[in-house]
Structure formats: C-alpha cells, structure tokens
Amino acid sequence: MEQHARQERQLPSPAHQIETDDRTALVCKPRTKGGNSDLPSAGFNVINSIIGSGIIGLPYSMKEAGFPLGVLLLVGVAYITDYSIILLIKGGNLSGTNSYQELVNKSYGFIGYLILSTLQFLYPFIVGPDNLLTYRQVIILCTTIIFTLPMSLYRDIAKLAKVSFISLILTAVILVIVMIRAATLSPLVPKTENAWIFAKSNAIQAIGVMSFAFICHHNSFLIYGSLEEPNLSNWSRITHVSVSLALFISVVFAVCGYVTFTGYTEGDIFENYCRDDDLATFGRFCYGVTIILTFPIECFVTREVISNVFFSGTLTTILHVAVTVIVVALATIISLVYDCLGIVLELNGILSATPLVFIIPTACYLKLSEERWNHSDNLISGLILTVGVLVMTVGFVMTILHPQQCSHGKEMVYCFPNNASLYNSTLPPF
C-alpha cells in the first residue's frame, strides 16, 4: 500500500489515469479528441515503423554475416526488439513517465536525456526518399513537397494508421516481386565463392543493419499513448503480433534477395536488378512510395525531441509547421547528396539503432527495477545490454577499418549486353 501511494504521488498531474497490470501502475496520457486508435491501427504503425525502410538492406546483412548465421541473427534481433519495446513501457510505468526521453531523464538524469535526444533526432534522417535511378533529385523534391511534407504535418500519430496499412500492402507487392526474381533471375547471376558459408567476419556489422531494420523504440511511447486502452496487456499483444509478422516478411525478403544475388548483393537490393527489368522498376516505385509513407512516422519522433528539448513539450501551430518543414528539408538534402546505402545502414545501425534497441531500454529497466538481481527480467536485460555494448563497440571499429563499397547505381556484370539475349529470353516482361 505504501509503495502504491508513493507511485500515485509521483504522477505528473491528476489528469493521468491509473490502471493496475503486472503489479505496476500504468501511467497514460489524458485522452484527446481524435487521439485514440484501436489495436490493429497501432499494430500497422508498429509494423510500418519496422519494415517500412530498413527491410531493403536485409539481404545485404545475409551477405555480411554468412547466410545461415544471418537468418539466426535476424530471428535473435526480432526477439530482442519484441522484448525491449515491452521493457520500455514497463520502465515507463515504474518511473511514472510517458515518453522515451522522460524515462531516460528519470533514470540517468540530464546527460542521459541529451544522449537519447541526439540519437532519436538523428535516426529518422536516414529514412529519406532515395534510391530512384532516373532524375532522382527531381523526383525526390517533387514527392517530398507533394506527399511527404503534408503527411508529416499531422499532429496525431493515430491518423497515420491507414497510411501504414497502404505501406504494408506495397511491401507485400515488393516481397512478391523479389520472390519472382529469385526464381527467374538467380540462374543468370554468376556463382560466387563461399556464398553459403555458415558465418563471416562481418557478422557484427550485419547486426547493426538488422537493428536498423527492426528499430521502432523511438516511437513506441507515441503509439502506446494512441491506444484507447493503454495497458501492458494490450501493448504486449500488439508487439508480439507485429514483430512476428515483421520477422516473417523480413526473413522471406532477406532469403529471396540473397539467394538471387549471393556475393553480388548490394546494401540496396534494388541496385542489383538490371535497368531494363520492368518488374524490378515497378518494385523500385513501390519501395519509393513506402518510404514516403514511412517517413512521417519517423518525423513525429524528431519533432517531439525538438519540442521537448527546446519548447517544454509544446509547439504552437506556427512552430509545429516550421519544425516539420526544417526536419523534412534536412532529410531531403541528405537524400539528394548521398546514395550509398550499405555503409550508412551499418553506421546508423551501430551508432544509433543498437543503443536504442539493445542498450538504453535495458539500462533504464535495470536502474528502475526493484526485483532481485536474479529475476528473469533482470538477467535477460543484463545479457541484452552486454550484447549491445559489444555490438556497438566492435561493429564501429570494424566498419571504420573495413568500409563497404557501393555500386552507385552502376549496372551489374550480369546485366551487360553479352547476357542480354539470355536475359530477355528468360525473364518475362512485366
């Protein structure tokens, strides 16, 4: 009773609701008009946050890690993702906070708050609309102004659920295209040595790429707060289903992409397809649209960081528009000037995604937990934290010492004219 009373006194304001679940007081945001969504809608946002951008580099992670080990690591990263985003909400409940930043501030003070804010602010800038081969600068500018910016101006993340659902449909289309080309194109791609070796020395860097693909922690509190009934039971159900579906899609995509190109696999799998492949071109178009539909979710996080750090958590309408325009403009500029995805996925995964997925959620929970040291949550959290520190440290050193090369949109060797007759007679046009 005394502990429960202490928790009640720690609440930010009397407007917050208290519900009891798993021996923890659940602190929820006050409901606002239009600010709620049902469980499927929240699930769409979680899945879109996972597979909407980073999935394109997963075949490349198979090449880096070794195919069998890569599949195992992908399953492991998915499990850690599922576990740690639930752990985030548990930590928020223990500390009486309702955002990632507040949780870290409560656990590790202002320095931790600044570190997390920097990581959250930087992460979405990798998810800019890129990878379009013909007049990419013009296409990026047009799609940003017409589509990305207006959707990024939403104030309620729940309104993006339909957008996320469309993105999932397009991801399914891309998956079908990759599967078709695995059957029709792989016989034409030259065989590479050690394509099926169990493990390779770049496995740590591959974990960074996978972490980038699976990160959804930076917007977990936003999605959790959009639920009609925000409690740990509902959140756990959403994460289990969403991460499992995302894992299935990711494994199929990674396996089919790698099986097609093996040692030729690029950081952006669409750079592997020939320019005159109409079906692959349609896949590029679908992927470009999914990026346009995914970026607004990431923009929510960056805007929230700016709001919390500089404006005490509140933005006027003018500031809301101004901050959104600046964030979208910066991401667009980066997309215009840089096109090598492999090294960016590795560095962003190692330096940003790994702390957000492995290190910070577990460190906060261990700091706040009142359970004995040998409690299962404490032991698993300690193990994930140790793995995260190892991956971040070793992965960064290896990425700097052994940077990956990029094709910069050049045609692959199997697309040259001497293979044209075989290519055109074997691959059906779209």
Side-chain angles (χ1 to χ4, degrees):
M1 293 294 294
E2 293 179 359
Q3 181 181 357
H4 184 69
R6 286 197 301 271
Q7 289 176 336
E8 288 185 327
R9 288 195 295 270
Q10 291 173 353
L11 295 181
S13 72
H16 287 70
Q17 292 181 315
I18 305 295
E19 296 178 18
T20 302
D21 192 358
D22 280 1
R23 308 185 308 279
T24 306
L26 298 180
V27 182
C28 310
K29 293 181 180 179
R31 294 187 179 185
T32 57
K33 184 177 180 180
N36 300 317
S37 68
D38 54 11
L39 301 188
S41 297
F44 293 151
N45 281 333
V46 172
I47 298 172
N48 190 33
S49 182
I50 294 175
I51 66 175
S53 57
I55 192 174
I56 201 72
L58 290 179
Y60 174 75
S61 70
M62 300 291 106
K63 171 186 173 182
E64 294 289 274
F67 180 69
L69 180 60
V71 174
L72 294 177
L73 289 176
L74 192 56
V75 174
V77 170
Y79 171 80
I80 292 174
T81 298
D82 182 64
Y83 187 86
S84 58
I85 57 179
I86 294 176
L87 210 62
L88 271 182
I89 303 303
K90 285 185 177 180
N93 296 336
L94 287 171
S95 61
T97 57
N98 52 33
S99 76
Y100 205 165
Q101 290 171 284
E102 290 176 7
L103 170 61
V104 175
N105 192 23
K106 190 70 173 285
S107 303
Y108 292 98
F110 186 67
I111 297 299
Y113 173 83
L114 286 180
I115 293 174
L116 175 73
S117 297
T118 301
L119 294 175
Q120 285 188 295
F121 177 81
L122 293 177
Y123 172 79
F125 289 106
I126 182 58
V127 193
D130 59 1
N131 193 42
L132 302 175
L133 299 180
T134 306
Y135 303 111
R136 61 186 296 272
Q137 288 82 3
V138 176
I139 296 175
I140 290 172
L141 285 174
C142 291
T143 55
T144 298
I145 295 172
I146 298 173
F147 300 106
T148 307
L149 180 58
M151 287 188 292
S152 297
L153 287 170
Y154 279 127
R155 285 181 175 268
D156 181 7
I157 198 170
K159 291 183 178 179
L160 294 175
K162 294 180 180 179
V163 171
S164 295
F165 180 68
I166 296 173
S167 179
L168 293 181
I169 294 176
L170 292 174
T171 301
V173 173
I174 296 170
L175 185 62
V176 171
I177 292 173
V178 172
M179 293 172 66
I180 292 173
R181 283 300 178 248
T184 59
L185 182 57
S186 58
L188 306 180
V189 178
K191 307 303 177 185
T192 54
E193 187 178 358
N194 296 327
W196 309 108
I197 192 172
F198 181 82
K200 295 181 181 179
S201 58
N202 291 335
I204 297 293
Q205 293 155 274
I207 295 176
V209 176
M210 295 173 188
S211 299
F212 174 83
F214 270 84
I215 185 172
C216 56
H217 302 62
H218 51 307
N219 53 38
S220 292
F221 279 98
L222 290 171
I223 299 175
Y224 175 76
S226 73
L227 296 176
E228 292 181 357
E229 297 182 10
N231 57 61
L232 198 58
S233 177
N234 284 342
W235 181 246
S236 297
R237 187 159 58 250
I238 290 170
T239 58
H240 292 331
V241 174
S242 300
V243 175
S244 297
L245 181 57
L247 173 62
F248 172 77
I249 294 173
S250 298
V251 169
V252 175
F253 189 93
V255 169
C256 291
Y258 180 77
V259 165
T260 306
F261 303 108
T262 58
Y264 291 95
T265 305
E266 292 286 324
D268 176 353
I269 191 66
F270 281 115
E271 288 198 14
N272 282 106
Y273 295 103
C274 303
R275 293 182 181 179
D276 59 350
D277 186 343
D278 294 338
L279 184 59
T281 299
F282 180 67
R284 294 184 183 100
F285 169 77
C286 291
Y287 178 67
V289 176
T290 63
I291 292 298
I292 293 170
L293 300 180
T294 300
F295 183 81
I297 296 180
E298 312 302 338
C299 186
F300 261 83
V301 180
T302 300
R303 189 170 57 225
E304 185 189 43
V305 170
I306 296 174
S307 174
N308 290 337
V309 173
F310 298 105
F311 302 101
S312 302
T314 303
L315 291 176
T316 64
T317 300
I318 295 177
L319 284 175
H320 173 85
V321 173
V323 169
T324 303
V325 170
I326 292 172
V327 170
V328 173
L330 289 175
T332 303
I333 291 172
I334 295 174
S335 296
L336 291 173
V337 301
Y338 201 76
D339 67 345
C340 191
L341 192 59
I343 184 65
V344 176
L345 286 176
E346 288 184 359
L347 281 175
N348 196 280
I350 291 294
L351 297 179
S352 181
T354 300
L356 291 173
V357 175
F358 289 75
I359 299 174
I360 298 177
T362 53
C364 289
Y365 182 79
L366 289 172
K367 183 70 177 292
L368 297 168
S369 176
E370 297 179 356
E371 302 288 353
R372 291 175 57 88
W373 69 269
N374 59 352
H375 187 271
S376 60
D377 280 342
N378 289 341
L379 293 176
I380 297 175
S381 297
L383 177 61
I384 294 175
L385 175 61
T386 303
V387 171
V389 172
L390 178 66
V391 169
M392 184 176 179
T393 305
V394 178
F396 177 71
V397 173
M398 292 184 66
T399 301
I400 297 299
L401 294 179
H402 306 286
Q404 301 303 308
Q405 302 301 316
C406 183
S407 70
H408 296 288
K410 295 180 180 178
E411 282 278 52
M412 306 301 288
V413 63
Y414 45 81
C415 298
F416 289 162
N418 59 333
N419 291 330
S421 59
L422 180 61
Y423 173 81
N424 290 330
S425 63
T426 304
L427 302 183
F430 176 67

